[in-house]
Amino acid sequence: MKVLVVGNGAREHALACALRHSPQKPDVYAFMTSVNPGIARIAKDYSLGGICQGPEVLKYAKNTGIDLVVIGPEAPLSCGVVDYLSDEGILCVGPRQAAAQIETNKTFQRSLMADHNIPGLPRYRVFQQAGEAEQYIRDCGFDVVVKPAGLTGGKGVKIMGEHFDREGAAKYASTVLNTGLGKINEVLVEERLEGEEFTLQAFVDGENLVGMPMVQDHKRAYEGDMGPNTGGMGSYNGCGFILPFLSEKDYEEAVDIMQKTVSAIKSETGEKYVGFLYGQFMATKEGLKVIEFNARLGDPEAMNVLTLLDYDFLDVCERMAGGMLTNKFGFKKQASVCKYLVPQGYPEDPATGVEVKVNEKKIQDLGGNVFYASVSEEGGRILTSSSRAIAVVGSANCITEAEVVVEESMKHVEGELFHRKDIGTRALIEKRIDHMKKLRG
Ligand code: AMP
Ligand code: GLY
């Protein structure tokens, strides 16, 4: 069995590891933009190229006789790489371009929920005219969030009261339209929600959906949820499927929303949704609201769930791609914590080319795991580039114990990097619990 992983971040390193550990002992191949040293070590062979170039990926897959392709990031999905591969009969984990719009086009995502009466839709409006958007923001009377409709690498969403005041929000909506931010000439204006965010990831085979444990990511760069937004500084999950500040009912509602969304995508686009589906939810006073969907696993959230999956991951992937998903997959009844080490100055002015020394043996002895993200290897030296560098994951019987595994592991990484020490600590989790108690009474 030959499996190709497309992408070269820590999420893809974790995907490659999970595939490599399958009892079926597949040969793992990789198609990457630049060399991820962790993936290069696992892969039987790899190719460097444009991961969004369908014909290039297809050519490599055909030349190497690939049986199954697992797509990591959203960019190849948005460019229809799955369409190229599937049309040639290659099995893929990842939706076709039309179905991937659930992530790549926020207007599509919101309209789908509205048209199919899917619960959890916040108040929203879509604008193509800057003047109309500005007027609406000035008159609407509630705090808003302004979102470019297209992909912006997580940097396009701006929130009133955090990034700007009402007038700033109005001006930003104009800027989105006038500068073509997100490439789709539309801007969404939504009510600003208050609550606790969580991620629910699921396996989907076109019809059936199997949920994984809930995870909470931390988007802000600095401790105490301060500073600029990032791709995610770290994440945790509790022992079992539910986060400590949420309920079984929240989990069931989130699964129901995602299942309805999968059915709606099929009826709207004619395409079955195959692959990982990532739901970002806000648990509010009025129940769950959908922040967004992603057509892939989360980064870092993938590392929590893949670390705990207690089943042959290759079999899960084959079942997704082949439309034969069952819900017999188990996850270890453990908590996990993942934290990113990032270069000084990240995300605004990251130091690049900084050497990092990782003692993987020591980290493994502590029960930790390392996944490489945005680093390069030159002459045996690991160097940072401009983004998140190294993810460290630990698992244990509870979140705070897993957090200790991560912090102890971090001591065996040398280099000018920083990370958020508060993620997974008792103090932070209690803050979340208090917040939900206050909201829900
Ligand atoms: P998105 O790219 O849609 O995931 O948005 C990025 C971040 O903005 C989310 O993770 C939330 O923290 C925040 N956000 C998005 N939409 C809303 C909303 N309607 N209310 C409050 N915060 C939001
Ligand atoms: N951790 C956020 C994301 O993967 O989109």
Side-chain angles (χ1 to χ4, degrees), residues 10-19 21 70 201 203 212-213 215 237 276 297-298 300-314 316-317 320 330-332 336 369 371 393 395:
R11 167 185 47 209
E12 289 73 33
H13 185 187
L15 285 167
C17 277
L19 289 164
H21 287 131
V70 181
Q201 301 167 100
F203 304 114
M212 305 184 217
V215 184
N237 72 283
F276 310 106
L297 287 177
E301 295 99 319
M303 286 173 278
N304 299 94
V305 292
L306 291 176
T307 297
L308 297 181
L309 181 67
D310 200 12
Y311 194 82
D312 175 358
F313 182 57
L314 177 58
V316 180
C317 289
M320 269 190 281
F331 288 84
K332 286 179 206 142
S336 75
N369 249 316
F371 297 104
V393 185
S395 48

Side-chain angles (χ1 to χ4, degrees), residues 106 110 122 145 147 154 157 159 190-194 197 219 229 280 282 291-292:
K106 288 191 199 291
R110 288 316 197 199
V145 177
K147 305 182 169 189
V157 174
I159 301 168
E190 291 182 3
E191 65 178 309
R192 179 186 175 180
L193 302 164
E194 211 223 313
E197 277 186 78
K219 288 229 156 82
N229 267 334
Q280 181 80 27
M282 182 91 83
I291 297 289
E292 65 165 355

Side-chain angles (χ1 to χ4, degrees), residues 181-373:
L181 195 61
K183 302 222 167 65
I184 300 170
N185 203 28
E186 285 176 338
V187 68
L188 283 82
V189 179
E190 291 182 3
E191 65 178 309
R192 179 186 175 180
L193 302 164
E194 211 223 313
E196 277 298 327
E197 277 186 78
F198 71 93
T199 302
L200 182 63
Q201 301 167 100
F203 304 114
V204 188
D205 73 350
E207 271 169 40
N208 306 298
L209 179 145
V210 180
M212 305 184 217
M214 289 169 158
V215 184
Q216 189 176 48
D217 184 20
H218 298 72
K219 288 229 156 82
R220 299 305 195 94
Y222 313 136
E223 275 149 36
D225 293 320
M226 307 293 276
N229 267 334
T230 69
M233 291 296 287
S235 50
Y236 52 66
N237 72 283
C239 190
F241 278 59
I242 315 295
L243 283 161
F245 42 89
L246 296 167
S247 67
E248 199 85 43
K249 183 166 164 280
D250 292 317
Y251 188 88
E252 280 159 20
E253 274 178 33
V255 167
D256 178 60
I257 288 171
M258 288 171 73
Q259 183 73 67
K260 289 188 166 116
T261 301
V262 166
S263 308
I265 292 171
K266 170 75 178 24
S267 71
E268 207 63 38
T269 67
E271 295 290 355
K272 285 187 169 183
Y273 188 97
V274 174
F276 310 106
L277 183 62
Y278 170 118
Q280 181 80 27
F281 295 92
M282 182 91 83
T284 72
K285 204 164 56 179
E286 287 90 32
L288 292 194
K289 300 282 178 185
V290 174
I291 297 289
E292 65 165 355
F293 286 112
N294 292 322
R296 50 171 175 80
L297 287 177
D299 187 350
E301 295 99 319
M303 286 173 278
N304 299 94
V305 292
L306 291 176
T307 297
L308 297 181
L309 181 67
D310 200 12
Y311 194 82
D312 175 358
F313 182 57
L314 177 58
D315 186 55
V316 180
C317 289
E318 286 180 285
R319 285 178 178 279
M320 269 190 281
M324 296 178 306
L325 205 57
T326 56
N327 64 357
K328 60 180 181 179
F329 317 130
F331 288 84
K332 286 179 206 142
K333 213 166 178 307
Q334 284 194 315
S336 75
V337 173
C338 174
K339 299 196 196 194
Y340 260 115
L341 286 154
V342 303
Q344 298 293 342
Y346 173 80
E348 278 145 352
D349 186 21
T352 59
V354 175
E355 185 172 359
V356 186
K357 289 187 182 150
V358 185
N359 190 332
E360 289 188 40
K361 169 81 179 59
K362 282 255 169 67
I363 293 174
Q364 274 156 15
D365 289 347
L366 289 165
N369 249 316
V370 172
F371 297 104
Y372 291 94

Side-chain angles (χ1 to χ4, degrees), residues 36-206:
N36 176 313
I39 298 176
R41 231 185 288 152
I42 294 169
K44 183 161 171 110
D45 181 56
Y46 66 83
S47 177
L48 294 182
I51 59 169
C52 295
Q53 304 299 320
E56 267 189 55
V57 181
L58 176 63
K59 192 167 154 208
Y60 180 71
K62 278 191 156 177
N63 287 346
T64 42
I66 296 295
D67 302 294
L68 176 76
V69 179
V70 181
I71 310 274
E74 65 278 18
L77 301 170
S78 80
C79 300
V81 169
V82 171
D83 303 57
Y84 277 97
L85 296 162
S86 305
D87 289 348
E88 295 285 327
I90 298 174
L91 284 176
C92 287
V93 176
R96 282 175 174 265
Q97 190 175 32
Q101 285 183 90
I102 196 65
E103 169 166 6
T104 61
N105 185 339
K106 288 191 199 291
T107 308
F108 172 86
Q109 192 267 306
R110 288 316 197 199
S111 316
L112 191 82
M113 289 186 75
D115 296 347
H116 293 262
N117 288 321
I118 298 174
L121 179 64
R123 279 185 283 180
Y124 82 102
R125 289 276 301 270
V126 183
F127 296 95
Q128 281 132 8
Q129 303 296 332
E132 288 174 20
E134 286 198 27
Q135 201 56 48
Y136 177 74
I137 292 171
R138 289 192 188 106
D139 297 344
C140 70
F142 50 82
D143 283 6
V144 297
V145 177
V146 181
K147 305 182 169 189
L151 290 178
T152 56
K155 293 177 184 78
V157 174
K158 302 248 188 262
I159 301 168
M160 195 175 136
E162 286 189 22
H163 299 104
F164 40 42
D165 58 9
R166 188 173 298 282
E167 196 47 35
K171 288 279 174 287
Y172 179 64
S174 281
T175 306
V176 169
L177 290 171
N178 295 335
T179 59
L181 195 61
K183 302 222 167 65
I184 300 170
N185 203 28
E186 285 176 338
V187 68
L188 283 82
V189 179
E190 291 182 3
E191 65 178 309
R192 179 186 175 180
L193 302 164
E194 211 223 313
E196 277 298 327
E197 277 186 78
F198 71 93
T199 302
L200 182 63
Q201 301 167 100
F203 304 114
V204 188
D205 73 350

Side-chain angles (χ1 to χ4, degrees), residues 336-337 339 363 366-368 392-396 398-412 419 421 423-426:
S336 75
V337 173
K339 299 196 196 194
I363 293 174
L366 289 165
V392 179
V393 185
S395 48
C398 65
I399 298 173
T400 46
E401 277 178 30
E403 196 271 339
V404 174
V405 174
V406 174
E407 286 298 330
E408 287 301 310
S409 299
M410 294 279 195
K411 292 181 182 158
H412 302 287
H419 70 279
K421 295 202 173 62
I423 296 171
T425 57
R426 190 174 301 278

